Amino acid sequence: MLRRTAKCFCCNLVAEIEKKITEAFEVFDRESNKTVDVREIGCIIRSLGCFPNEAEVQELLGQIEVDELEGFVHLKNFLPVMTKVLLDKRFWPIPEDVILHAFEALDENKCGYITKEDLVKHLTENGEPFTEEEMEDMLAVALDPETNTLNYRDYRIKLVVDESKTFPFNI
Amino acid sequence: MGSGSSVNVQYKYSLQKSENAFKAAVLIQQWYRRHVARLEMRRRCTWRIFQSIEYACEQDQIKLHNFFSYLMDQFTPSSSKERDFISRMFVSGESYKEAELEKFCDYESIEVPDSYIGPRLSFPLLPDHATALLEAFQQKQQLHARYVLNLLHETRKHLKQLPNISHVSTCYSEEVTVCGDLHGQLDDLFLIFYKNGLPSPSKSYVFNGDFVDRGKQSLEILVILFTFLLIYPKEVHLNRGNHEDHMVNLRYGFTKEVMQKYTVHGKKILRMFQNVFCWLPLATLIDQKVLIIHGGISDTTDLDMLEKIQRDKFISVLRLKKRKESSRKPEMQAINGERESGSDAAGKEAAPRLSLQPQSAQAPSTANRLEFSRWLRQTVQEQIDTCRRLVDISESEPEELTYSSMVSLKDVDEPCWTRQQEWKQILDILWSDPMPQEGCRENKVRGGGCYFGPDVTEKFLEKYSLQFLIRSHECKQEGYEFCHNRKVLTIFSASNYYEIGSNRGAYVKLGPDLIPHFVQYQANKTAHMLTMTQRISRVEESAFRALREQLFAHTSALISAFKAYDGDNTGRITLSNWATAVESVLRLGLPWRMLRPQLVCSTKDGMLEYKSWLDELAMEQRSQEHIQSSLLEIIYRNRSNLETIFRIIDRDHSGLISFEEFQQTWKLFSSHMNIELTDDGIDDLVRSIDFNKDGNIDFNEFLEAFRLVKQCPT
């Protein structure tokens, strides 16, 4: 319905969003045939600036037609769903202070750091558990090898991506 | 409030706490996964950048050939100097006859001083020689020219006896190890030997081409491989790659490496390598079931033809662009190395008598430009024909050949293949790439070979009762990759090919069951110690530097493209239009909207001030501040081509060309590229890069001045 109005800001915006989604999609399109492996969808959604959790990714996938046999998703099915996600500004980035509070919630003694054991326990047994690989990768960067603890304030600063200011219209 | 309710409170509290912990975990995981996804995107984009720039460079080669065609068609030199210069460009030099080769590249007269502490080789070679060489190269020693030449002569003798397709059987040595491109990266070869063991009667190896170029130790790799080849001829097998080709070497570094390491005998050594390369076998077959070729196949690949071709006739597989139809006489095919004296097949005009020297005595006066230019065109044409003959590139349309011309070239009982068809067979197996789509089409990106689809593979495997193909030629992030339903395996052994941390190398082992086992590695301690994030950052930095250089090199075209979106001349365009414009100019097929945050730092209201953005890019590149930025841009854009042309002119491989030659080159090139530059402009250029020594220009220095300072590997 929006598209009927020629040259309005909204149309340009939608066109732009679609272009960006297509670009991101094509980066994962190994065979250059407008399909990607369904397992990469989460990655694509996140690289477009969204912060869905696993449950939300699955929910989105539920809305997209997936080729059951081969396990791939076609751009034409992904595009409208993803465009709506961006237009609705869903899965907005997690603000810095919320992440800080999340770490603090795991830091029982409120001392500013979490031990490796606690971290592993929380993140591999709780929430939407990390795989072994994910845990290892995180520890490799996050852990201070001398004390075997994670100073979450420092870590968070290292990783913060300041895109929330312009998300998702950072086109 | 009894004890019951306090339990309740406690219970509620701990329930709350675990709920909080759960939520917190979810948040952290969510946030972290987003970070990882972003990294993954960056990693893939970086990879795309490197690949697209690499392939764009290869496409440059086509442009270079266009330049030569242009020279033939358009240029009218205005002085005898220019005339000489052009003819020099096309005279490739000595012939490749065997006796002359032995004489010119003789080694026996070369004395090895007592002060030489490197390995001394004697023939026949023994395993001790190999270990001595490995140790010497690890200590950065250099093998004396005499031994290099001796080794090359012996290698050539050995290779001549080998068939085009080597046959390997896994019943003799239980396992065969196949390695892919090494590209002069000696550390990777050392790593392979360290992990897998040296070649020996119980350890077979197949090295699948592209031993040279790009890396800085191509020479050492060849010496080692040839040594092992001679010591263990049954166990070591080498395939020719597309870089085992002197025309390619001119551009991609091997020629330069040899000349820098062997200032006195370099030319001889290069000549020998040229010859040895064309004697390398074209393919290897394991147990009649697995075919190993460097590039790939096409829908016309014919193993029977490949087996029978005289492979040494194809010194270089690169070919010059087809000339325009208008004024050309049909090309004659000729047998390599022999001077044709106007033999003509039925229906063809006699080719003019050829010689290798410019026929300066017969030149008409330059006063009559029309006549002169006609004469020049003919002379240049002759020289090109000669040149082509020497590199054995044929230009005829296949349909134009008459039966008699074919007969005059080959023995009657040999099959009637044309030189053209043979050449295509070799080109295809050295230069082709697999593609996911079905079919077979020309590989325009590389300028040679085909893109072949899974159906082509299927048919080919069926025709020759093969199980799968092993090829190399393309860099893969994990060092290896399957495609075409696991029927095609790409194996690439040069780790950190684009940059430290960019990719792993790999080799594959096959036992009698022919099930592949892979070993991956990365030949750099630094790479191991970096975290994934750091590795990606480092490679990314390198990729973006290269990309910014590309952008800078197209400044003028970009400004025009941007202006098209800026009708009101505000100096600003939307970021969306920026992306479209950049792709239209650079044509690299990159996801510009994803890359934008790294390329464009400051925007205002979603708009970009393009002029100042381009100025910022220029600031980064300006190593020579006193040179006009447009000139700089031109040089950057054409650097590889310029280098190749310089090397062709520099026939004695000294690294020096005269000031006039430099001027000539520049003038020719700029007229071809429609670049406006006055003679004064060139003088300014030369003067400002103070490299003029005795009227000679060290063009290596010239080019270095425009090379970005690469991060030194630590």
Side-chain angles (χ1 to χ4, degrees), chain B residues 60 249-253 256 260 549 621 623-624 627 631-650 655-657 662 665-666 669 685-686 689-693 697-710:
Chain B
D60 244 8
N249 299 152
L250 277 173
R251 189 185 187 84
Y252 288 106
K256 184 160 116 181
Q260 281 175 346
E549 187 190 315
Q621 314 294 334
S623 47
Q624 309 288 330
I627 299 175
L631 184 56
L632 209 61
E633 180 193 330
I634 291 164
I635 295 176
Y636 265 108
R637 193 161 58 237
N638 298 293
R639 203 173 59 208
S640 307
N641 281 336
L642 277 175
E643 178 163 3
T644 310
I645 295 174
F646 283 149
R647 290 197 192 286
I648 295 177
I649 297 172
D650 176 29
L656 301 173
I657 56 177
F662 177 78
T665 310
W666 187 258
F669 199 72
L685 173 65
V686 169
I689 310 171
D690 182 33
F691 55 77
N692 206 339
K693 302 169 190 164
I697 291 167
D698 182 339
F699 61 80
N700 283 317
E701 238 185 66
F702 168 71
L703 293 166
E704 275 308 315
F706 296 95
R707 219 176 283 284
L708 285 177
V709 175
K710 226 186 163 211

